[in-house]
Structure formats: structure tokens, C-alpha cells
């Protein structure tokens, strides 16, 4: 009798999971670059996988030029000059601080004890440089996640130091939101109470109320996997979107909240066409359409849209986003992958295949 019940249960499980497995195998899989099923990047003017830039979400040639000089010469002064000439309140400064910190962190990881020496020299030679203090604080945050495990003593010690440097950076640059944006990540890692976190958040929005990068940093805190819940994250995102002025990318924030709470295993094929997901996607598409073409956060939204549009089989719209972002992929969701370029290429191939299967071609794709 037990065997009979086991067989019945096995049949039911197969009936539920079987279609999902088959669909997943037919939908999201990686093919070898030379395979007949692989999309040829040249056909659509796309960048080949091995040439994709995983450092930035979109082009910033000034930053890349300075990074090249700093890493080649180990002289920090070009980085200091670039940040000094970058407006405090904008998204670009925050992205450049993250990029410099990330570069130093990766260097140190690749060359323990030696890498990132230019950042140490920057702080020693010019301790009153606001840009250097901000990069140092963000470097410590990235180091905490790269070199230790959340919740451990080492993790807390590094983040406590980051909090101290955030305070120093704030004193060196009054009115600059970046030190407080860095502290949002510190608060998430150290487990600030809701009241403590709100106090830091108030300082951010006093200085830059429409800062998309800051809202994304705060959203992580309110997610279920950290110190909030699905409902709190959704409330935070939808409230920000509702208050967003015309042309603001904050209207796309609910899509990021949906992404942060995606089920690890989805057995419902229509999930990506559900009302919640569709509404969030439409909000993001509206935000992209209304945003300034030079908005530095535009690429972030487009990259996330690629994932959702492909999974919901909206091939033409996915291709439209790819045309705008291809080449630079340093953004969610690819940065969470062990191989961002490979992951991105899988989705790009799927978009091309779906687009062409429905009559699309390079000639019909808007540029």
C-alpha cells in the first residue's frame, strides 16, 4: 500500500514539475557561441560576449579614462579631480564613487596586501579630500561583503569602520548625500532599527529627494531578506513612484521591489504575465519613455526590464531595451551572477530568437 501511495505522489509531482522543467529547458539555456542556435551578435550590432564591459551599467568614458590612469600609475590625483568636478547631488557622483571603490576592492582581492594601494595613499596624502573619504567608506562596505560573511565579527568590524568614515565624509562635504547613501548599506549590514534607518534616510532625501540610486539602496533594507517584508518593500517603492515628478525614473522602483522578491522556483507559467508583474513592468516602461536620454540611471532600469520582458515573452520590447544598453552590463540582474557576461548573453540570445520567431529582423528593429 505504501508503494502505491508513493507512486501516486510521484506521478502528481511529475505532472506539476514536468511542464516547468521542459519550458525552462526550452527557454533559458546557454548555447555554445558557434552553435547554429546561437544568435550572431554582429547581425544586430551587438557586442560579443567576451567584449562586454561588466564594470558599468552604461558608458562613462571620463570615468573609464581616469580609472585606467589611476590603475596604471597608482596615482590617485586624477580620481580626486574627477570627483571634485562631479556635482554632489546627482546620480553620476554616486556611481563614480562606487566604481572607484569597486576597482580598489577588486585589486585588493586579486593582489592581497598590495592591490588598491592608490586608495590608501589618497587617504594618507589628502585626509581632508571629501571624494577620497567617500570612496574609502564605500570601499569598506564592498570589502565587508567580499571578504567576510554577513553577521560575523569580521563583517561587523569592517562595517563599523565604514560607519566612522561615513561620518568623516559627511563633515568634509556638507550637503552631499553620498556619505549617507553609503551608510544605508552600513545600516542594512549592521541591522539598524527602523527608527535608526529612517534617521539616515531623512538626511538623504533632505539633500537629494529624487535620487534613484539612494532609493535602490534603501529598498534593499526594506526587503524580506533583510529587515523588512514584501509588503514594506512594496509600500516603500509604490510610495516613491507615486510621488515621483514627471520624467523621474522612480516610477520604475516597484519593478525592483518585485525583482527582490522573485520566487526561487516558479511553477506558475503565467507569473511574469500576472497583474502585479505587468503593472510594475508598465510603470518601468513608462519611466524609461519619459526619462531624459542622458539620465545616468536609465541603463539600470533598462537592464532589469530585459530580464522581465524576456521572461514574459515580450520579445520586441526586450530587443528595444537591448539596443540601448548592449555593451555595458554592470547592473542588476547580471551583477549577481557568477558570470555576468554569460548570463546576459543567454537572455540576449533568447530575445533575438523570440523576436525572429515572430517575424522580426534587424531591418524591423528600431534603433
Amino acid at each position: 500500500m505504501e508503494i502505491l501511495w508513493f507512486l501516486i505522489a510521484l506521478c502528481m509531482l511529475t505532472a506539476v514539475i514536468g511542464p516547468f522543467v521542459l519550458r525552462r529547458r526550452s527557454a533559458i539555456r546557454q548555447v555554445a557561441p558557434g552553435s547554429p542556435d546561437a544568435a550572431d551578435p554582429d547581425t544586430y550590432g551587438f557586442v560579443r560576449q567576451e567584449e562586454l564591459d561588466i564594470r558599468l551599467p552604461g558608458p562613462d568614458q571620463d570615468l573609464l579614462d581616469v580609472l585606467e590612469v589611476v590603475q596604471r600609475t597608482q596615482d590617485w590625483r586624477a580620481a580626486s579631480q574627477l570627483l571634485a568636478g562631479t556635482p554632489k547631488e546627482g546620480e553620476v557622483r554616486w556611481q563614480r564613487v562606487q566604481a572607484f571603490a569597486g576597482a580598489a576592492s577588486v585589486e585588493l582581492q586579486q593582489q592581497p596586501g598590495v592591490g588598491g594601494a592608490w586608495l590608501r595613499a589618497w587617504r594618507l596624502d589628502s585626509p581632508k579630500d571629501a571624494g577620497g573619504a567617500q570612496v574609502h567608506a564605500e570601499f569598506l562596505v564592498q570589502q565587508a561583503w567580499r571578504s567576510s560573511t554577513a553577521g560575523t565579527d569580521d563583517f561587523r568590524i569592517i562595517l563599523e569602520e565604514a560607519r566612522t568614515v561615513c561620518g568623516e565624509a559627511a563633515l568634509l562635504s556638507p550637503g552631499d548625500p553620498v556619505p549617507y547613501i553609503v551608510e544605508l548599506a552600513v545600516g542594512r549590514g549592521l541591522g539598524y532599527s527602523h527608527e535608526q534607518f529612517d534617521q539616515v534616510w531623512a538626511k538623504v532625501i533632505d539633500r537629494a529627494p529624487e535620487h534613484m540610486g539612494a532609493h535602490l539602496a534603501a529598498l534593499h533594507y526594506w526587503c524580506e531578506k533583510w529587515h523588512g517584508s514584501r509588503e514594506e518593500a512594496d509600500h516603500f517603492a509604490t510610495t516613491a513612484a507615486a510621488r515621483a515628478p514627471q520624467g523621474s525614473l522612480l516610477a520604475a522602483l516597484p519593478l525592483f521591489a518585485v525583482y527582490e522578491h522573485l520566487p526561487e522556483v516558479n511553477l506558475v507559467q503565467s507569473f511574469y504575465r500576472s497583474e502585479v508583474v505587468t503593472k510594475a513592468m508598465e510603470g518601468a516602461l513608462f519611466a524609461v519613455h519619459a526619462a531624459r536620454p542622458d539620465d545616468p540611471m536609465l541603463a539600470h532600469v533598462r537592464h532589469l526590464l530585459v530580464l522581465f520582458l524576456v521572461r514574459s515573452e515580450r520579445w520586441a520590447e526586450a530587443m528595444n531595451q537591448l539596443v540601448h544598453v548592449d555593451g555595458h552590463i554592470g547592473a542588476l540582474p547580471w551583477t549577481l551572477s557568477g558570470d555576468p557576461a554569460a548570463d546576459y548573453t543567454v537572455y540576449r540570445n533568447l530575445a533575438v530568437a523570440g523576436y525572429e520567431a515572430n517575424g522580426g529582423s534587424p531591418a524591423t528593429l528600431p534603433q
Side-chain angles (χ1 to χ4, degrees), residues 101-131:
S105 182
V106 170
E107 279 187 40
L108 184 59
Q109 187 178 42
Q110 294 173 343
Q111 306 172 62
V114 180
W118 55 269
L119 178 55
R120 292 190 291 276
W122 190 353
R123 292 293 284 140
L124 286 171
D125 297 345
S126 187
K128 300 299 183 183
D129 188 317

Side-chain angles (χ1 to χ4, degrees), residues 70 74-77 79-80 83 93 97 100-101 104 116-140 160-173 179 182:
V70 169
Q74 292 295 297
D75 188 334
W76 53 269
R77 284 174 292 185
S80 175
L83 287 181
R93 184 178 181 86
V97 166
F100 284 128
W118 55 269
L119 178 55
R120 292 190 291 276
W122 190 353
R123 292 293 284 140
L124 286 171
D125 297 345
S126 187
K128 300 299 183 183
D129 188 317
Q134 292 174 9
V135 173
H136 185 200
E138 174 63 16
F139 165 82
L140 289 168
E160 290 286 1
E161 184 181 354
R163 176 161 59 182
T164 299
V165 179
C166 284
E168 295 173 5
L171 291 175
L172 291 170
S173 184
V182 178

Side-chain angles (χ1 to χ4, degrees), residues 208-282:
E210 298 166 25
H211 200 291
M212 181 70 172
H215 279 79
L216 290 175
L219 177 64
H220 291 152
Y221 175 91
W222 292 111
C223 288
E224 190 173 59
K225 59 189 172 186
W226 286 102
H227 308 292
S229 64
R230 187 185 303 263
E231 292 73 25
E232 286 172 305
D234 182 65
H235 175 73
F236 176 81
T238 54
T239 299
R243 293 175 178 171
Q246 178 69 21
S248 170
L249 286 169
L250 288 176
L253 203 60
L255 187 65
F256 286 86
V258 170
Y259 173 74
E260 291 293 338
H261 295 91
L262 286 177
E264 290 189 14
V265 177
N266 173 38
L267 298 180
V268 182
Q269 294 182 1
S270 61
F271 174 78
Y272 287 93
R273 297 178 183 177
S274 66
E275 182 179 355
V276 171
V277 175
T278 299
K279 184 177 179 181
M281 278 198 294
E282 294 303 331

Side-chain angles (χ1 to χ4, degrees), residues 42-332:
D42 292 337
T43 304
Y44 288 89
F46 291 147
V47 175
R48 293 193 171 276
Q49 179 177 326
E50 62 272 18
E51 298 172 359
L52 291 166
D53 191 328
I54 64 173
R55 296 170 297 176
L56 301 174
D60 185 344
Q61 196 57 50
D62 288 342
L63 172 62
L64 292 178
D65 290 343
V66 168
L67 261 177
E68 191 278 326
V69 170
V70 169
Q71 293 187 307
R72 175 169 49 81
T73 65
Q74 292 295 297
D75 188 334
W76 53 269
R77 284 174 292 185
S80 175
Q81 291 169 3
L82 182 65
L83 287 181
T86 306
K88 295 179 182 179
E89 65 282 355
E91 306 278 356
V92 174
R93 184 178 181 86
W94 169 230
Q95 291 191 14
R96 288 175 172 175
V97 166
Q98 286 182 299
F100 284 128
S105 182
V106 170
E107 279 187 40
L108 184 59
Q109 187 178 42
Q110 294 173 343
Q111 306 172 62
V114 180
W118 55 269
L119 178 55
R120 292 190 291 276
W122 190 353
R123 292 293 284 140
L124 286 171
D125 297 345
S126 187
K128 300 299 183 183
D129 188 317
Q134 292 174 9
V135 173
H136 185 200
E138 174 63 16
F139 165 82
L140 289 168
V141 169
Q142 295 193 27
Q143 276 298 104
W145 262 276
R146 275 197 174 97
S147 64
S148 55
T149 304
T152 63
D153 288 343
D154 287 347
F155 182 79
R156 294 189 65 84
I157 288 169
I158 297 172
L159 287 185
E160 290 286 1
E161 184 181 354
R163 176 161 59 182
T164 299
V165 179
C166 284
E168 295 173 5
L171 291 175
L172 291 170
S173 184
D176 192 331
V178 169
Y180 300 106
I181 300 175
V182 178
E183 193 177 352
L184 294 176
V186 172
R188 175 163 57 95
L190 292 179
Y192 279 16
S193 68
H194 289 185
E195 182 180 0
Q196 287 176 297
F197 191 82
D198 281 340
Q199 289 172 356
V200 180
W201 179 240
K203 293 175 182 177
V204 174
I205 59 174
D206 279 350
R207 291 160 175 78
E210 298 166 25
H211 200 291
M212 181 70 172
H215 279 79
L216 290 175
L219 177 64
H220 291 152
Y221 175 91
W222 292 111
C223 288
E224 190 173 59
K225 59 189 172 186
W226 286 102
H227 308 292
S229 64
R230 187 185 303 263
E231 292 73 25
E232 286 172 305
D234 182 65
H235 175 73
F236 176 81
T238 54
T239 299
R243 293 175 178 171
Q246 178 69 21
S248 170
L249 286 169
L250 288 176
L253 203 60
L255 187 65
F256 286 86
V258 170
Y259 173 74
E260 291 293 338
H261 295 91
L262 286 177
E264 290 189 14
V265 177
N266 173 38
L267 298 180
V268 182
Q269 294 182 1
S270 61
F271 174 78
Y272 287 93
R273 297 178 183 177
S274 66
E275 182 179 355
V276 171
V277 175
T278 299
K279 184 177 179 181
M281 278 198 294
E282 294 303 331
L285 287 166
F286 171 80
V288 164
H289 179 74
R292 300 189 330 269
D294 62 345
D295 191 313
M297 292 301 292
L298 189 54
H300 287 270
V301 181
R302 289 190 187 278
H303 277 293
L304 193 63
L305 273 168
V306 169
L307 178 140
F308 279 93
L309 290 168
V310 167
R311 289 191 177 182
S312 58
E313 300 180 359
R314 294 167 63 169
W315 312 117
E317 291 168 288
M319 289 293 287
N320 184 259
Q321 303 307 318
L322 286 166
V323 166
H324 287 90
V325 299
D326 192 71
H328 296 83
I329 59 169
L332 287 174

